[in-house]
Amino acid sequence: MTADSNAPVPVWTLATEDVSVPDVLGDEGMTPARLAELRTALATLAAAPIATLEAHPMSTRRDRNGGIALHAASPLAQQLSQLVTQTAKSASPTLNAASSGEVLYRMVVPAKVAAEVGKGLVRPMAAKGVAGGIRSALVNSSGVTSHAAFVPVAGKAAAAGAVGGSAATAGVAAAGAGALTVAAPLVLMAVAVGVSAHADQQRQKSIERITDLLEQLHEDKLDAERSELDGCRDAIDKATSILLDQGRLGLSLGLDSAVHAIGKAMEQTRRRLGKWQEALDKLPDGPVEVGALTKAFPGIDEDGGAFRAHLELARLVIALKRRVLVLQAVEHAQLEGGNHPFKTFIRSLKEDERRVDELESGITSVLHRLSTLEVKRSGGFLSVVVTPGEVDHLLTTAYRLRALGDGLDVGLHQADVAIEIERSRDGSLVVFPAEAA
């Protein structure tokens, strides 16, 4: 939440390469709706990814449990400080959002770039009841709290540091037309931490649901599978700290054992998906008997059935795999160096991500098909005696099948991605899960 809803808010346009585009932003204030329109125009006109970064003073903090904390010496914290310092001379004194020492930064990455980062990392989540509303820390229970004008900050000052180099060491640099600031490492690190936080958020949700399911099932084999996967968290958290907080190179190799366990679980999930797809193909056209459905998908008609436990395990392994892929992509971008770290990051991520996307898409397709099934009582419609218990079971099963389709992103377009970063007085950061803008 912003401290003063009438205060002007500075906004930077950040390019990942040295590109030239028309100056569509200008230097006058603009509304959030106008900024969104111009952001779309920049994404269309520019040959390289362009993000926007806003800086809001804070009066209240969000619950930090869902974010990733980074020290003041982390690459992302240093990049933010350098950007603000190098562009301070070209900004109006009234735009000093950091005067309070605590700032909420909000980076918005264009949809076409978000799609390259991965369709499974961030799904569209439009703010309900607020057309074009700004989500999360800028929205309270009564709606949008920030009505400030956004004022562009020109990247005209000469900046220290190279444009390229590793994500840990490169700085920002001024670009030519359009008041763009070349800051590939800043965008890279913000995206990496934001999507890593998002993947861990999905992991935590899956763990909570699996725990509840296994308490009902008492399945030792599934419990051991869950424990092995959740045991990967320490190695992943350690690698996250090394790569994103300290910026060291090559130390994510400590993920070897975790990657092996996740790889085995991915193959197990693929086998289960294949069985689900085969079972669906064998079901007859038209209404399906409940008995035939539960034989193909054990426990699908129950709150804590085996099918639902397998489904949550699949979601858990996908969330873990996506987080590992982000870390590996950051490491590759750092090791390769050069002048295009963001391109290296995207390329590395896409090489390994296709199979994960295919797996998740397959699961989504199965759930969609199950949610559209019509069911009938076992024995068919011609049975004379129908007990109240059978009617209740039939209705409950139908409702549970429909619920499987809730929240599926079938046919939805990738949205712009917003990443919110809280900066404390000591320079430390908390980066919250990336979500659709």
PDB file of all heavy atoms in Angstrom, residues 296-318:
ATOM      1  N   ALA A 296     -11.098 -47.233 -12.890  1.00  0.00           N
ATOM      2  CA  ALA A 296     -10.040 -46.636 -13.687  1.00  0.00           C
ATOM      3  C   ALA A 296      -9.276 -45.572 -12.913  1.00  0.00           C
ATOM      4  O   ALA A 296      -8.066 -45.394 -13.105  1.00  0.00           O
ATOM      5  CB  ALA A 296     -10.632 -46.032 -14.963  1.00  0.00           C
ATOM      6  N   PHE A 297      -9.983 -44.863 -12.020  1.00  0.00           N
ATOM      7  CA  PHE A 297      -9.383 -43.785 -11.229  1.00  0.00           C
ATOM      8  C   PHE A 297      -9.743 -43.994  -9.761  1.00  0.00           C
ATOM      9  O   PHE A 297     -10.689 -43.371  -9.248  1.00  0.00           O
ATOM     10  CB  PHE A 297      -9.880 -42.416 -11.710  1.00  0.00           C
ATOM     11  CG  PHE A 297      -9.542 -42.100 -13.131  1.00  0.00           C
ATOM     12  CD1 PHE A 297     -10.405 -42.459 -14.167  1.00  0.00           C
ATOM     13  CD2 PHE A 297      -8.352 -41.453 -13.442  1.00  0.00           C
ATOM     14  CE1 PHE A 297     -10.089 -42.175 -15.478  1.00  0.00           C
ATOM     15  CE2 PHE A 297      -8.026 -41.170 -14.761  1.00  0.00           C
ATOM     16  CZ  PHE A 297      -8.896 -41.538 -15.785  1.00  0.00           C
ATOM     17  N   PRO A 298      -9.023 -44.895  -9.074  1.00  0.00           N
ATOM     18  CA  PRO A 298      -9.356 -45.225  -7.681  1.00  0.00           C
ATOM     19  C   PRO A 298      -9.395 -43.988  -6.790  1.00  0.00           C
ATOM     20  O   PRO A 298      -8.478 -43.167  -6.793  1.00  0.00           O
ATOM     21  CB  PRO A 298      -8.214 -46.162  -7.262  1.00  0.00           C
ATOM     22  CG  PRO A 298      -7.720 -46.744  -8.542  1.00  0.00           C
ATOM     23  CD  PRO A 298      -7.856 -45.648  -9.556  1.00  0.00           C
ATOM     24  N   GLY A 299     -10.495 -43.850  -6.066  1.00  0.00           N
ATOM     25  CA  GLY A 299     -10.606 -42.759  -5.108  1.00  0.00           C
ATOM     26  C   GLY A 299     -11.053 -41.442  -5.687  1.00  0.00           C
ATOM     27  O   GLY A 299     -11.134 -40.451  -4.962  1.00  0.00           O
ATOM     28  N   ILE A 300     -11.386 -41.412  -6.982  1.00  0.00           N
ATOM     29  CA  ILE A 300     -11.779 -40.131  -7.582  1.00  0.00           C
ATOM     30  C   ILE A 300     -13.108 -39.637  -7.029  1.00  0.00           C
ATOM     31  O   ILE A 300     -13.428 -38.440  -7.101  1.00  0.00           O
ATOM     32  CB  ILE A 300     -11.853 -40.269  -9.120  1.00  0.00           C
ATOM     33  CG1 ILE A 300     -11.857 -38.880  -9.783  1.00  0.00           C
ATOM     34  CG2 ILE A 300     -13.061 -41.100  -9.547  1.00  0.00           C
ATOM     35  CD1 ILE A 300     -11.737 -38.915 -11.281  1.00  0.00           C
ATOM     36  N   ASP A 301     -13.895 -40.556  -6.451  1.00  0.00           N
ATOM     37  CA  ASP A 301     -15.197 -40.185  -5.899  1.00  0.00           C
ATOM     38  C   ASP A 301     -15.115 -39.883  -4.398  1.00  0.00           C
ATOM     39  O   ASP A 301     -16.140 -39.728  -3.738  1.00  0.00           O
ATOM     40  CB  ASP A 301     -16.209 -41.313  -6.143  1.00  0.00           C
ATOM     41  CG  ASP A 301     -15.765 -42.636  -5.531  1.00  0.00           C
ATOM     42  OD1 ASP A 301     -14.533 -42.829  -5.334  1.00  0.00           O
ATOM     43  OD2 ASP A 301     -16.639 -43.480  -5.248  1.00  0.00           O
ATOM     44  N   GLU A 302     -13.894 -39.783  -3.869  1.00  0.00           N
ATOM     45  CA  GLU A 302     -13.713 -39.543  -2.441  1.00  0.00           C
ATOM     46  C   GLU A 302     -12.930 -38.256  -2.210  1.00  0.00           C
ATOM     47  O   GLU A 302     -12.232 -37.754  -3.096  1.00  0.00           O
ATOM     48  CB  GLU A 302     -12.949 -40.709  -1.798  1.00  0.00           C
ATOM     49  CG  GLU A 302     -13.595 -42.067  -1.995  1.00  0.00           C
ATOM     50  CD  GLU A 302     -12.683 -43.189  -1.523  1.00  0.00           C
ATOM     51  OE1 GLU A 302     -11.651 -42.879  -0.893  1.00  0.00           O
ATOM     52  OE2 GLU A 302     -12.994 -44.354  -1.805  1.00  0.00           O
ATOM     53  N   ASP A 303     -13.031 -37.733  -0.983  1.00  0.00           N
ATOM     54  CA  ASP A 303     -12.276 -36.535  -0.626  1.00  0.00           C
ATOM     55  C   ASP A 303     -10.777 -36.805  -0.614  1.00  0.00           C
ATOM     56  O   ASP A 303      -9.979 -35.978  -1.046  1.00  0.00           O
ATOM     57  CB  ASP A 303     -12.698 -36.025   0.764  1.00  0.00           C
ATOM     58  CG  ASP A 303     -13.994 -35.239   0.680  1.00  0.00           C
ATOM     59  OD1 ASP A 303     -14.263 -34.672  -0.389  1.00  0.00           O
ATOM     60  OD2 ASP A 303     -14.734 -35.203   1.677  1.00  0.00           O
ATOM     61  N   GLY A 304     -10.370 -37.950  -0.092  1.00  0.00           N
ATOM     62  CA  GLY A 304      -8.949 -38.240   0.057  1.00  0.00           C
ATOM     63  C   GLY A 304      -8.508 -39.472  -0.683  1.00  0.00           C
ATOM     64  O   GLY A 304      -7.744 -40.288  -0.175  1.00  0.00           O
ATOM     65  N   GLY A 305      -8.982 -39.637  -1.920  1.00  0.00           N
ATOM     66  CA  GLY A 305      -8.666 -40.823  -2.687  1.00  0.00           C
ATOM     67  C   GLY A 305      -7.256 -40.834  -3.241  1.00  0.00           C
ATOM     68  O   GLY A 305      -6.555 -39.817  -3.265  1.00  0.00           O
ATOM     69  N   ALA A 306      -6.837 -42.024  -3.705  1.00  0.00           N
ATOM     70  CA  ALA A 306      -5.477 -42.195  -4.234  1.00  0.00           C
ATOM     71  C   ALA A 306      -5.244 -41.329  -5.472  1.00  0.00           C
ATOM     72  O   ALA A 306      -4.156 -40.780  -5.659  1.00  0.00           O
ATOM     73  CB  ALA A 306      -5.243 -43.673  -4.559  1.00  0.00           C
ATOM     74  N   PHE A 307      -6.267 -41.190  -6.339  1.00  0.00           N
ATOM     75  CA  PHE A 307      -6.096 -40.377  -7.545  1.00  0.00           C
ATOM     76  C   PHE A 307      -5.740 -38.942  -7.189  1.00  0.00           C
ATOM     77  O   PHE A 307      -4.847 -38.330  -7.801  1.00  0.00           O
ATOM     78  CB  PHE A 307      -7.365 -40.410  -8.391  1.00  0.00           C
ATOM     79  CG  PHE A 307      -7.345 -39.419  -9.529  1.00  0.00           C
ATOM     80  CD1 PHE A 307      -6.553 -39.644 -10.646  1.00  0.00           C
ATOM     81  CD2 PHE A 307      -8.101 -38.257  -9.465  1.00  0.00           C
ATOM     82  CE1 PHE A 307      -6.526 -38.731 -11.698  1.00  0.00           C
ATOM     83  CE2 PHE A 307      -8.069 -37.335 -10.500  1.00  0.00           C
ATOM     84  CZ  PHE A 307      -7.292 -37.572 -11.616  1.00  0.00           C
ATOM     85  N   ARG A 308      -6.410 -38.399  -6.187  1.00  0.00           N
ATOM     86  CA  ARG A 308      -6.141 -37.016  -5.797  1.00  0.00           C
ATOM     87  C   ARG A 308      -4.754 -36.878  -5.164  1.00  0.00           C
ATOM     88  O   ARG A 308      -4.087 -35.854  -5.337  1.00  0.00           O
ATOM     89  CB  ARG A 308      -7.239 -36.516  -4.862  1.00  0.00           C
ATOM     90  CG  ARG A 308      -8.587 -36.457  -5.549  1.00  0.00           C
ATOM     91  CD  ARG A 308      -9.716 -36.080  -4.603  1.00  0.00           C
ATOM     92  NE  ARG A 308     -10.996 -36.232  -5.279  1.00  0.00           N
ATOM     93  CZ  ARG A 308     -11.573 -35.300  -6.051  1.00  0.00           C
ATOM     94  NH1 ARG A 308     -10.957 -34.141  -6.225  1.00  0.00           N
ATOM     95  NH2 ARG A 308     -12.727 -35.516  -6.634  1.00  0.00           N
ATOM     96  N   ALA A 309      -4.328 -37.895  -4.446  1.00  0.00           N
ATOM     97  CA  ALA A 309      -2.975 -37.864  -3.878  1.00  0.00           C
ATOM     98  C   ALA A 309      -1.935 -37.897  -5.002  1.00  0.00           C
ATOM     99  O   ALA A 309      -0.939 -37.166  -4.961  1.00  0.00           O
ATOM    100  CB  ALA A 309      -2.772 -39.046  -2.932  1.00  0.00           C
ATOM    101  N   HIS A 310      -2.158 -38.757  -6.000  1.00  0.00           N
ATOM    102  CA  HIS A 310      -1.239 -38.806  -7.150  1.00  0.00           C
ATOM    103  C   HIS A 310      -1.219 -37.468  -7.893  1.00  0.00           C
ATOM    104  O   HIS A 310      -0.164 -37.021  -8.357  1.00  0.00           O
ATOM    105  CB  HIS A 310      -1.672 -39.917  -8.110  1.00  0.00           C
ATOM    106  CG  HIS A 310      -1.437 -41.296  -7.568  1.00  0.00           C
ATOM    107  ND1 HIS A 310      -2.117 -42.404  -8.031  1.00  0.00           N
ATOM    108  CD2 HIS A 310      -0.598 -41.744  -6.594  1.00  0.00           C
ATOM    109  CE1 HIS A 310      -1.712 -43.474  -7.375  1.00  0.00           C
ATOM    110  NE2 HIS A 310      -0.790 -43.100  -6.501  1.00  0.00           N
ATOM    111  N   LEU A 311      -2.372 -36.835  -7.991  1.00  0.00           N
ATOM    112  CA  LEU A 311      -2.466 -35.548  -8.667  1.00  0.00           C
ATOM    113  C   LEU A 311      -1.661 -34.474  -7.931  1.00  0.00           C
ATOM    114  O   LEU A 311      -0.927 -33.691  -8.549  1.00  0.00           O
ATOM    115  CB  LEU A 311      -3.934 -35.137  -8.772  1.00  0.00           C
ATOM    116  CG  LEU A 311      -4.240 -33.830  -9.496  1.00  0.00           C
ATOM    117  CD1 LEU A 311      -3.762 -33.884 -10.936  1.00  0.00           C
ATOM    118  CD2 LEU A 311      -5.741 -33.541  -9.437  1.00  0.00           C
ATOM    119  N   GLU A 312      -1.757 -34.449  -6.612  1.00  0.00           N
ATOM    120  CA  GLU A 312      -1.012 -33.451  -5.838  1.00  0.00           C
ATOM    121  C   GLU A 312       0.493 -33.741  -5.861  1.00  0.00           C
ATOM    122  O   GLU A 312       1.308 -32.818  -5.857  1.00  0.00           O
ATOM    123  CB  GLU A 312      -1.518 -33.412  -4.400  1.00  0.00           C
ATOM    124  CG  GLU A 312      -2.912 -32.850  -4.249  1.00  0.00           C
ATOM    125  CD  GLU A 312      -3.047 -31.455  -4.849  1.00  0.00           C
ATOM    126  OE1 GLU A 312      -2.052 -30.691  -4.861  1.00  0.00           O
ATOM    127  OE2 GLU A 312      -4.147 -31.112  -5.314  1.00  0.00           O
ATOM    128  N   LEU A 313       0.864 -35.020  -5.881  1.00  0.00           N
ATOM    129  CA  LEU A 313       2.281 -35.357  -6.019  1.00  0.00           C
ATOM    130  C   LEU A 313       2.815 -34.867  -7.372  1.00  0.00           C
ATOM    131  O   LEU A 313       3.953 -34.398  -7.466  1.00  0.00           O
ATOM    132  CB  LEU A 313       2.480 -36.870  -5.886  1.00  0.00           C
ATOM    133  CG  LEU A 313       2.447 -37.432  -4.459  1.00  0.00           C
ATOM    134  CD1 LEU A 313       2.373 -38.954  -4.492  1.00  0.00           C
ATOM    135  CD2 LEU A 313       3.672 -36.975  -3.668  1.00  0.00           C
ATOM    136  N   ALA A 314       1.989 -34.981  -8.402  1.00  0.00           N
ATOM    137  CA  ALA A 314       2.394 -34.490  -9.725  1.00  0.00           C
ATOM    138  C   ALA A 314       2.598 -32.981  -9.688  1.00  0.00           C
ATOM    139  O   ALA A 314       3.570 -32.455 -10.240  1.00  0.00           O
ATOM    140  CB  ALA A 314       1.334 -34.861 -10.764  1.00  0.00           C
ATOM    141  N   ARG A 315       1.698 -32.273  -9.034  1.00  0.00           N
ATOM    142  CA  ARG A 315       1.837 -30.813  -8.927  1.00  0.00           C
ATOM    143  C   ARG A 315       3.075 -30.434  -8.125  1.00  0.00           C
ATOM    144  O   ARG A 315       3.754 -29.440  -8.427  1.00  0.00           O
ATOM    145  CB  ARG A 315       0.580 -30.225  -8.289  1.00  0.00           C
ATOM    146  CG  ARG A 315      -0.638 -30.251  -9.216  1.00  0.00           C
ATOM    147  CD  ARG A 315      -1.903 -29.884  -8.493  1.00  0.00           C
ATOM    148  NE  ARG A 315      -3.028 -29.759  -9.428  1.00  0.00           N
ATOM    149  CZ  ARG A 315      -4.302 -29.822  -9.061  1.00  0.00           C
ATOM    150  NH1 ARG A 315      -4.617 -30.006  -7.786  1.00  0.00           N
ATOM    151  NH2 ARG A 315      -5.263 -29.688  -9.969  1.00  0.00           N
ATOM    152  N   LEU A 316       3.369 -31.219  -7.108  1.00  0.00           N
ATOM    153  CA  LEU A 316       4.554 -30.953  -6.285  1.00  0.00           C
ATOM    154  C   LEU A 316       5.830 -31.116  -7.097  1.00  0.00           C
ATOM    155  O   LEU A 316       6.716 -30.245  -7.073  1.00  0.00           O
ATOM    156  CB  LEU A 316       4.570 -31.893  -5.086  1.00  0.00           C
ATOM    157  CG  LEU A 316       5.841 -31.873  -4.217  1.00  0.00           C
ATOM    158  CD1 LEU A 316       6.087 -30.480  -3.651  1.00  0.00           C
ATOM    159  CD2 LEU A 316       5.746 -32.911  -3.102  1.00  0.00           C
ATOM    160  N   VAL A 317       5.941 -32.212  -7.826  1.00  0.00           N
ATOM    161  CA  VAL A 317       7.173 -32.452  -8.577  1.00  0.00           C
ATOM    162  C   VAL A 317       7.336 -31.432  -9.698  1.00  0.00           C
ATOM    163  O   VAL A 317       8.459 -30.995  -9.999  1.00  0.00           O
ATOM    164  CB  VAL A 317       7.211 -33.898  -9.121  1.00  0.00           C
ATOM    165  CG1 VAL A 317       6.193 -34.114 -10.229  1.00  0.00           C
ATOM    166  CG2 VAL A 317       8.606 -34.244  -9.629  1.00  0.00           C
ATOM    167  N   ILE A 318       6.246 -30.994 -10.297  1.00  0.00           N
ATOM    168  CA  ILE A 318       6.333 -29.964 -11.341  1.00  0.00           C
ATOM    169  C   ILE A 318       6.812 -28.648 -10.742  1.00  0.00           C
ATOM    170  O   ILE A 318       7.653 -27.950 -11.324  1.00  0.00           O
ATOM    171  CB  ILE A 318       4.973 -29.796 -12.045  1.00  0.00           C
ATOM    172  CG1 ILE A 318       4.705 -31.003 -12.951  1.00  0.00           C
ATOM    173  CG2 ILE A 318       4.929 -28.505 -12.858  1.00  0.00           C
ATOM    174  CD1 ILE A 318       3.324 -31.029 -13.553  1.00  0.00           C
TER     175      ILE A 318
END
